[in-house]
Amino acid sequence: MIQYVAISDAEPVASRSGAIKLHGPGAFEGMRRAGRAAAEVLDALVPHVVPGVTTQQIDDVVHAEMKARGGLPATLGYRGFTGSCCTSINHVVCHGIPGERVLKDGDIVNIDVTIILDGWHGDTSRMFLVGDVPIRARRLVDITYECMMLGIAQARPGNHLGDIGHAIQTHAERHRYGVVRDFCGHGLGRVFHDAPEVVHAGRPGTGPELKPGMFFTIEPMINIGKPGVKVLEDGWTAVTRDRTLSAQFEHAVGITEEGCEIFTKSPAGLDKPPYA
Ligand code: MF3
Ligand code: CO
Ligand code: CO
């Protein structure tokens, strides 16, 4: 039984009840600002994501850019995570920990940032191409972006979460890519990871119905090979079992009367590479 709960703009508590929250206009305004700030942080990274930089250097820029906007990184200290962002390179699917790894020519890297601004979470990620990237990897990145946008195109009242998953899965599998099942999108707002779970594969008309005021992320992880992942000894870094390349993009959206609003669009138009 799926439960929905209307949240008033004055609601002070970030509860994690399992019910799907339906937010009001004040919450949309909060998410608009947090989403925009998160997108601006990714925009600011473009000149930094080049061969020779470490993922720690990128993390430092993320932290500074968030602070400059009056926000804080939601991931820092989250369940013991040590980064202000996640940096997931090549066959790393998600949750790569920033550190001494040096970016090299030909790498593809997902950078996933979550800012907390005035209590609201702005969560978004993009792929970055490091130097000259082979066509096979660039194609994966392009198709993964298309998967996310096709999922977003299904985000409107009356549709179901399964419609989003189906659109993503259909496009990925048309290109013989694997859709990761072990991680999914999520409700967010004052809570970082809230109900519902947004799976990136599924059947039309299944799962919770979409209603105005729902906030959630769509963040498909797509592999050149099979969908299987494993988590490394560090307890975070998820990699493809078959070691094939993986890509991901993430937007946070809010369901409106007409469709959806994307909170995390790049103000500079840098939503997907190439950014030059
Ligand atoms: N930003 C990620 C997401 O999209 C979550 C990262 S949690 C961390 O949900 F601890 F790994 F940073
Ligand atoms: Co997310
Ligand atoms: Co994220």
Side-chain angles (χ1 to χ4, degrees), residues 95 112-114 123-124 184-188 192-193 217-219 248 250-251:
H95 301 166
D112 189 342
V113 300
T114 310
D123 186 6
T124 182
C184 43
H186 50 91
L188 83 171
F192 186 2
H193 290 123
T217 70
I218 300 178
E219 48 180 302
Q248 178 180 28
E250 174 175 24
H251 270 318

Side-chain angles (χ1 to χ4, degrees), residues 20 27 29 75 77 83 92 104 130 174-175 179 189 207 231 233 256 270:
I20 296 173
E29 193 45 47
T75 56
V92 178
K104 61 177 199 303
V130 183
R174 172 178 299 140
H175 294 273
V179 179
V231 175
E233 296 283 77
T256 62
L270 305 173

Side-chain angles (χ1 to χ4, degrees), residues 208-271:
E209 185 181 334
L210 305 182
K211 297 178 187 285
M214 281 173 69
F215 296 164
F216 55 87
T217 70
I218 300 178
E219 48 180 302
M221 285 141 275
I222 308 295
N223 304 343
I224 282 186
K226 298 209 167 66
V229 310
K230 68 175 180 192
V231 175
L232 301 185
E233 296 283 77
D234 62 25
W236 282 105
T237 311
V239 300
T240 55
R241 279 193 174 275
D242 61 12
R243 294 236 144 199
T244 58
L245 292 180
S246 185
Q248 178 180 28
F249 285 87
E250 174 175 24
H251 270 318
V253 305
I255 302 297
T256 62
E257 297 294 335
E258 299 83 31
C260 78
E261 175 174 347
I262 303 176
F263 295 129
T264 46
K265 272 196 88 63
S266 166
L270 305 173
D271 288 295

Side-chain angles (χ1 to χ4, degrees), residues 11-266:
E11 186 93 51
V13 194
S15 64
R16 208 170 176 289
S17 62
I20 296 173
K21 297 185 178 77
L22 304 179
H23 300 84
F28 272 85
E29 193 45 47
M31 289 298 284
R32 213 165 274 146
R33 293 176 51 204
R36 183 187 173 94
E40 287 172 353
V41 171
L42 289 181
D43 289 350
L45 293 180
V46 167
H48 297 276
V49 186
V50 291
V53 304
T54 66
T55 50
Q56 183 59 55
Q57 287 175 293
I58 290 169
D59 195 75
D60 292 344
V61 176
V62 168
H63 195 273
E65 292 288 338
M66 285 186 181
K67 270 187 65 182
R69 287 169 177 77
L72 287 171
T75 56
L76 193 55
Y78 177 82
R79 300 186 188 187
F81 195 79
T82 53
S84 296
C85 64
C86 299
T87 49
S88 303
I89 304 169
N90 296 341
H91 70 293
V92 178
V93 172
C94 63
H95 301 166
I97 306 168
E100 294 320 303
R101 167 70 150 90
V102 177
L103 295 181
K104 61 177 199 303
D105 191 62
D107 284 341
I108 60 171
V109 57
N110 174 276
I111 304 177
D112 189 342
V113 300
T114 310
I115 192 171
I116 308 176
L117 189 67
D118 299 331
W120 298 99
H121 288 80
D123 186 6
T124 182
S125 82
R126 296 178 205 154
M127 296 303 295
F128 293 76
L129 309 177
V130 183
D132 266 329
V133 169
I135 183 69
R136 185 177 156 78
R138 278 188 279 135
R139 197 169 148 273
L140 171 69
V141 169
D142 287 346
I143 301 301
T144 303
Y145 181 79
E146 290 172 10
C147 282
M148 176 182 68
M149 295 310 289
L150 287 167
I152 291 172
Q154 294 297 319
R156 58 172 178 270
N159 265 7
H160 293 250
L161 280 179
D163 296 307
I164 294 174
H166 181 72
I168 292 167
Q169 182 181 8
T170 302
H171 194 58
E173 291 181 354
R174 172 178 299 140
H175 294 273
R176 297 206 200 82
Y177 293 147
V179 179
V180 171
R181 309 299 208 276
D182 300 67
F183 300 96
C184 43
H186 50 91
L188 83 171
R190 284 193 174 100
V191 177
F192 186 2
H193 290 123
D194 208 347
E197 286 191 352
V198 179
V199 293
H200 302 112
R203 282 178 297 118
T206 63
E209 185 181 334
L210 305 182
K211 297 178 187 285
M214 281 173 69
F215 296 164
F216 55 87
T217 70
I218 300 178
E219 48 180 302
M221 285 141 275
I222 308 295
N223 304 343
I224 282 186
K226 298 209 167 66
V229 310
K230 68 175 180 192
V231 175
L232 301 185
E233 296 283 77
D234 62 25
W236 282 105
T237 311
V239 300
T240 55
R241 279 193 174 275
D242 61 12
R243 294 236 144 199
T244 58
L245 292 180
S246 185
Q248 178 180 28
F249 285 87
E250 174 175 24
H251 270 318
V253 305
I255 302 297
T256 62
E257 297 294 335
E258 299 83 31
C260 78
E261 175 174 347
I262 303 176
F263 295 129
T264 46
K265 272 196 88 63
S266 166

